[in-house]
Amino acid sequence: MSSSHDQAHSGLFHLLPLGLRVQSKLEALIDTHMQSIGASKASLSSITTEALWRQSGRYTANSEFLRLKDRRESGFLLSPTHEEEITALVAGMVHSYKDLPLRLYQTGRKYRDEKRPRGGLLRAKESMMKDLYTFDSTPAAALETYDSVRRAYAAIFDALKLPYLVAAADSGNMGGKLSHEYHFASPKGEDTVWSCKECDYVANEEVIYMPPTARGLDAETCVFEGISTDRKMRIQILGPRTAGRTEAWENISHYVNMDAVKSHLAQHHPGVELDTTIETEELVHIIESAKTPQITLSDSFLSLSTIPPSHDCPNCPTGEIAPQRAIEIAHTFHLGTRYSDPLGALVALPDGKTRVSMEMGCHGIGISRLVGAIASLLADEKGLNWPRVVAPYEAIILTSPQVADGEAEEVYDILRSGSGEGEEFVDVVLDDRPDKNLGWKLRDADLIGYPVLLVLGRGWRERREVEVQCRRLGVKQDVSVGQLREFVGEILEKL
Ligand SMILES: [Zn+2]
């Protein structure tokens, strides 16, 4: 069990008090920047109806919904996302261009029936998300909104003081054209992003265009037999030539760009998802025993090839792009009228006669995923390390049992009190547990990952100096009480 969260069942987590403080600080940071673009906070129900998702065309029997039935056997879902609900809500309330732009966001729980939950908070059945939905009356206004959201996202991720990547992305089954993904580069990531060493080009696999090879089905074409997750559709992928006529299913990712396959299915065969978790042996059995209609994806007319490990940059004349593993932490989508059309979210234009579907955007930040990603990015052999802005506390005071009563409180007050009324200088906590020795407290504080440790040990008893430690910056220095505020303030500025 880590000190911030506890796994209850596969893919489900409880947050402990310090983990909750991290999450709350992240939410507060997001709130500040959502307010800066005029977004209002709402809170939608976690439960939605199958009927509404049928209306939008996204209800399928095979995807990762967590389903519920009530006593009358009506179908409900635990919401994986809220485009349907928010569009229906806004359609009932907003009828004129005069009420736009409208920007509504929430932070709440989302649900997915993940087949193979893994990576702790990175891929779970229940996760905390910030989702913002924007409504405009014209495409031009919607694109202005999109740009302002991107600026707000840059401010949020800049505040973490951690390097991140912004990749141009295909929006797949979300239905729009313009989208961006935000990533942390990490060997633990499940996504691959491609970036150029010579310019600022960053993209995910779907948008990098590989010219399809002009080749039909011949003896040297390799065939991958797959099955949809609902077992109702056989999916044949004709890949580039390899040594064998047919290839083991597990090898598919060596030859076929799975992002391109996913994106093609979402666009042309809505509701069909390829099961990529299946073992070859099981797959052979299913395909032999089932009479299923077939979709064939051929490499000769689709750009399904995997991208070679180095590839010319599409954005500059001399650069090459190379892949790196990454954790996706946020996403912005311009949706256009993908949801306002089927759900009838219309507004009257200035002429008073014409009614048009609202132009929408949806913009998510994976809050629990971001907490997990930051934790894995900055952890070292001693424990976690939190950036100042989301740390459970910015600093902790640790006392040895010999420190006299009231002295630690004195240091606490010096650091805590800000210059104005009710303002705090440092968000500091005091560990004065009498039954633990200083070594134990230091190990515990390192494990939890407070940015700054303030030790009242021998230096305090002999010279009234506080030992200030910061593992991330390699700082360990005795500081007099008079200089403590300035010294700690300067360290925190860098974290
Ligand atoms: Zn380039």
Side-chain angles (χ1 to χ4, degrees):
M1 185 171 110
S2 83
S3 51
S4 62
H5 67 266
D6 180 26
Q7 180 156 15
H9 302 282
S10 177
L12 296 175
F13 292 88
H14 301 309
L15 269 188
L16 296 172
L18 290 172
L20 183 59
R21 274 187 80 88
V22 172
Q23 182 174 296
S24 303
K25 287 202 171 183
L26 185 55
E27 287 179 38
L29 172 69
I30 291 169
D31 284 343
T32 302
H33 293 286
M34 288 295 100
Q35 281 154 22
S36 77
I37 56 168
S40 306
K41 197 167 187 175
S43 177
L44 274 67
S45 170
S46 290
I47 298 177
T48 183
T49 64
E50 288 181 2
L52 193 61
W53 283 65
R54 283 205 178 85
Q55 206 182 332
S56 75
R58 282 210 293 180
Y59 182 82
T60 51
N62 63 9
S63 57
E64 295 173 321
F65 292 134
L66 272 171
R67 292 153 207 279
L68 304 169
K69 290 250 189 262
D70 70 1
R71 67 181 76 212
R72 284 177 299 198
E73 291 292 302
S74 305
F76 293 90
L77 309 170
L78 287 175
S79 278
T81 174
H82 282 85
E83 285 82 7
E84 277 78 0
E85 286 292 346
I86 197 103
T87 308
L89 185 67
V90 169
M93 292 178 346
V94 172
H95 305 289
S96 164
Y97 77 97
K98 289 178 195 159
D99 300 322
L100 301 180
L102 178 63
R103 295 161 185 179
L104 290 170
Y105 79 103
Q106 61 175 351
T107 53
R109 292 166 195 266
K110 309 285 180 205
Y111 298 87
R112 289 164 74 102
D113 191 5
E114 286 284 354
K115 201 165 199 173
R116 291 186 179 172
R118 58 186 177 272
L121 295 174
L122 297 183
R123 183 175 285 274
K125 280 195 170 74
E126 181 182 60
S127 64
M128 201 69 177
M129 287 276 295
K130 185 284 299 179
D131 42 339
L132 163 69
Y133 303 93
T134 64
F135 300 84
D136 285 279
S137 55
T138 65
L143 294 181
E144 265 176 47
T145 294
Y146 189 86
D147 285 339
S148 65
V149 173
R150 287 202 58 198
R151 284 195 295 276
Y153 273 32
I156 291 166
F157 296 118
D158 287 347
L160 296 171
K161 298 187 178 155
L162 292 172
Y164 62 94
L165 298 163
V166 185
D170 190 292
S171 43
N173 62 359
M174 300 300 279
K177 284 280 186 292
L178 181 62
S179 77
H180 288 86
E181 290 173 356
Y182 295 70
H183 290 94
F184 283 145
S186 160
K188 290 181 184 165
E190 294 187 333
D191 292 305
T192 305
V193 293
W194 293 70
S195 56
C196 177
K197 291 177 195 85
E198 297 191 18
C199 71
D200 60 0
Y201 181 82
V202 182
N204 77 357
E205 252 163 347
E206 279 173 50
V207 293
I208 299 172
Y209 179 73
M210 286 293 294
T213 45
R215 187 183 51 243
L217 181 56
D218 60 36
E220 289 177 319
T221 301
C222 148
V223 182
F224 294 91
E225 290 274 13
I227 194 86
S228 61
T229 47
D230 65 354
R231 307 286 186 260
K232 286 181 182 160
M233 194 66 76
R234 184 171 159 189
I235 300 165
Q236 201 176 49
I237 301 166
L238 309 184
R241 183 164 62 122
T242 60
R245 176 79 171 74
T246 55
E247 263 289 341
W249 176 250
E250 283 93 340
N251 291 340
I252 189 165
S253 62
H254 298 310
Y255 305 103
V256 177
N257 178 351
M258 293 308 290
D259 281 329
V261 170
K262 253 190 261 174
S263 158
H264 177 84
L265 285 174
Q267 263 178 313
H268 300 282
H269 306 277
V272 179
E273 286 172 35
L274 182 67
D275 187 344
T276 54
T277 62
I278 200 159
E279 313 276 334
T280 298
E281 213 171 293
E282 192 191 347
L283 183 65
V284 168
H285 177 75
I286 293 167
I287 287 177
E288 279 174 357
S289 60
K291 286 192 179 64
T292 51
Q294 182 164 315
I295 295 173
T296 302
L297 308 178
S298 167
D299 182 64
S300 62
F301 60 87
L302 287 170
S303 170
L304 296 182
S305 303
T306 47
I307 303 156
S310 73
H311 182 61
D312 289 344
C313 176
N315 192 47
C316 70
T318 54
E320 279 195 347
I321 53 170
Q324 55 188 323
R325 304 297 286 168
I327 300 171
E328 187 184 337
I329 48 175
H331 211 139
T332 52
F333 288 110
H334 169 61
L335 296 169
T337 59
R338 165 66 184 85
Y339 298 94
S340 47
D341 277 341
L343 299 171
L346 306 172
V347 282
L349 291 182
D351 66 12
K353 293 174 200 148
T354 323
R355 295 176 78 216
V356 294
S357 295
M358 290 182 232
E359 294 284 334
M360 289 177 56
C362 77
H363 311 277
I365 295 178
I367 291 178
S368 40
R369 184 174 251 263
L370 189 50
V371 170
I374 294 168
S376 79
L377 222 56
L378 293 180
D380 61 19
E381 70 285 351
K382 287 193 165 177
L384 298 174
N385 260 313
W386 295 106
R388 173 194 196 172
V389 71
V390 296
Y393 293 92
E394 291 173 326
I396 183 166
I397 299 168
L398 309 167
T399 61
S400 70
Q402 292 86 2
V403 169
D405 277 355
E407 289 187 340
E409 286 80 355
E410 207 180 296
V411 174
Y412 177 91
D413 288 341
I414 288 168
L415 286 168
R416 180 91 184 178
S417 56
S419 46
E421 184 74 27
E423 185 191 326
E424 61 188 45
F425 183 67
V426 177
D427 179 24
V428 61
V429 66
L430 173 59
D431 184 354
D432 57 358
R433 284 175 280 186
D435 55 332
K436 303 288 184 194
N437 66 37
L438 193 51
W440 190 94
K441 289 178 185 176
L442 275 164
R443 281 191 298 279
D444 189 52
D446 273 335
L447 196 65
I448 290 165
Y450 302 99
V452 175
L453 275 52
L454 302 145
V455 185
L456 273 59
R458 181 186 292 176
W460 178 260
R461 293 196 304 276
E462 292 173 359
R463 303 180 300 278
R464 276 183 66 88
E465 283 183 345
V466 178
E467 185 185 281
V468 179
Q469 295 187 11
C470 172
R471 213 160 86 240
R472 265 179 87 190
L473 300 178
V475 172
K476 192 171 189 176
Q477 192 175 323
D478 285 344
V479 179
S480 68
V481 174
Q483 286 168 335
L484 197 57
R485 275 171 67 97
E486 194 186 344
F487 191 83
V488 171
E490 277 172 13
I491 291 179
L492 287 172
E493 282 294 306
K494 295 177 192 157
L495 300 170

